[in-house]
Amino acid sequence: MALGKAFLLFGPPGSGKGTQSQLLREKLGFSHLSTGDLLRKHLKNETELGKKARVYMDAGELVPDEVVIGMVQDSLSDFPDNKDFVLDGFPRTRDQAIALDALLNDLNTEVGTCMFLDVETDVLKQRLVGRRVCKSCSTSYHVDFAPSKQEKVCDICQGEVVQRRDDSEEVIMERLIQYEKKTAPLKEYYKQKGILVVLKGENKPDVVFQDVLKIVS
Ligand code: AP5
């Protein structure tokens, strides 16, 4: 038995990785692994890993590779056999990409396609500053482009809708710098493997999703 194929949603902070992953989960029943969501769960539960990660996340820096790779390894072993899945926000460094190839190889699978969501920096900043998320179910909103029906109340679960700690202007700037320095070079890694596809991430979410669907189906 083997896991299904891994599809990567890759791109800068605010490019829509979480939004497209949520659609894949809802519409196609994909398994979904977001390292950002997993880390935030550790923060919320005040685990040892969470305490270690908080310092990096609050500063907009990447959490050390060994912490994130270990977390992904644990999660992948719980994924169902023969079902394709999406990785959102992982890998973010060359070492993480190499570790992922090895982990997937051990599970008799591989990366199918790396979908790069291409979005201009000014648009990214606008999206991140206005983003709000539900504290309970993590549904994402935007104060201007996709507001919740009732202010600060989640449409789905009625949980409290708040701003993420790392969505302050100062931390957003640092996240973008870290992305350019450590993560953007991975585009070349997947291009050389012949599995990089560039999507127009500035289109409306449902239009981007049509492009995603063409790739995963
Ligand atoms: P993570 O939570 O993964 O944050 P990120 O990569 O910065 O990405 P975001 O969640 O901010 O954006 P997104 O691309 O998912 O966009 P979204 O769909 O929400 O990571 C947080 C931190 O954890 C990192 O800084 C790091 O410290 C740590 N971490 C995580 N993974 C790690 C790893 N592998 N290694 C080391 N450290 C790691 O959309 C954003 C907004 O735009 C929303 O309001 C949404 O409604 C709106 N929007 C989305 N799509 C569209 C569209 N097409 N048109 C208009 N608006 C849109």
Side-chain angles (χ1 to χ4, degrees):
M1 294 294 263
L3 289 189
K5 273 216 168 110
F7 289 93
L8 307 187
L9 274 167
F10 173 68
S15 55
K17 303 181 295 292
T19 303
Q20 295 303 320
S21 298
Q22 192 176 329
L23 288 168
L24 279 172
R25 221 172 43 213
E26 286 169 9
K27 311 268 183 203
L28 296 187
F30 264 54
S31 300
H32 167 213
L33 174 56
S34 154
T35 41
D37 285 351
L38 266 183
L39 287 165
R40 277 184 289 278
K41 208 178 274 176
H42 279 282
L43 254 58
K44 196 172 162 188
N45 296 335
E46 297 184 350
T47 64
E48 281 311 308
L49 193 156
K51 284 178 198 158
K52 208 168 171 185
R54 180 179 291 286
V55 188
Y56 296 96
M57 293 173 78
D58 282 354
E61 290 168 14
L62 293 187
V63 174
D65 284 341
E66 65 275 14
V67 175
V68 181
I69 292 167
M71 213 174 62
V72 170
Q73 183 168 20
D74 289 346
S75 302
L76 285 180
S77 57
D78 291 337
F79 275 17
D81 280 326
N82 292 321
K83 210 168 153 211
D84 292 345
F85 57 96
V86 61
L87 298 180
D88 149 14
F90 183 87
R92 281 188 208 221
T93 63
R94 191 178 165 81
D95 283 352
Q96 290 182 18
I98 292 167
L100 176 64
D101 287 342
L103 287 176
L104 294 179
N105 189 46
D106 287 348
L107 295 163
N108 299 317
T109 187
E110 60 186 355
V111 177
T113 307
C114 173
M115 298 178 271
F116 173 66
L117 298 170
D118 193 17
V119 180
E120 286 293 323
T121 306
D122 283 350
V123 178
L124 296 172
K125 287 185 197 158
Q126 202 184 13
R127 285 185 185 179
L128 291 172
V129 168
R131 173 171 55 189
R132 300 293 181 269
V133 288
C134 173
K135 256 171 122 175
S136 308
C137 71
S138 303
T139 297
S140 180
Y141 297 94
H142 191 282
V143 287
D144 299 317
F145 313 132
S148 54
K149 288 188 187 116
Q150 201 183 329
E151 203 186 341
K152 297 186 181 166
V153 180
C154 178
D155 296 351
I156 313 288
C157 75
Q158 276 69 55
E160 190 187 357
V161 173
V162 296
Q163 185 167 34
R164 248 169 64 172
R165 287 167 67 103
D166 60 352
D167 276 346
S168 68
E169 271 187 61
E170 193 188 340
V171 181
I172 289 169
M173 289 311 293
E174 186 56 35
R175 285 161 61 202
L176 290 168
I177 291 169
Q178 294 281 324
Y179 168 79
E180 281 305 329
K181 208 156 73 180
K182 299 180 177 158
T183 309
L186 279 185
K187 249 188 288 175
E188 199 49 42
Y189 181 86
Y190 288 108
K191 197 172 167 187
Q192 279 182 12
K193 283 178 176 280
I195 54 171
L196 181 79
V197 175
V198 180
L199 302 181
K200 286 185 186 158
E202 285 183 24
N203 285 336
K204 292 217 166 84
D206 53 332
V207 177
V208 179
F209 189 59
Q210 291 311 311
D211 290 338
V212 169
L213 275 182
K214 280 181 209 148
I215 291 161
V216 301
S217 39

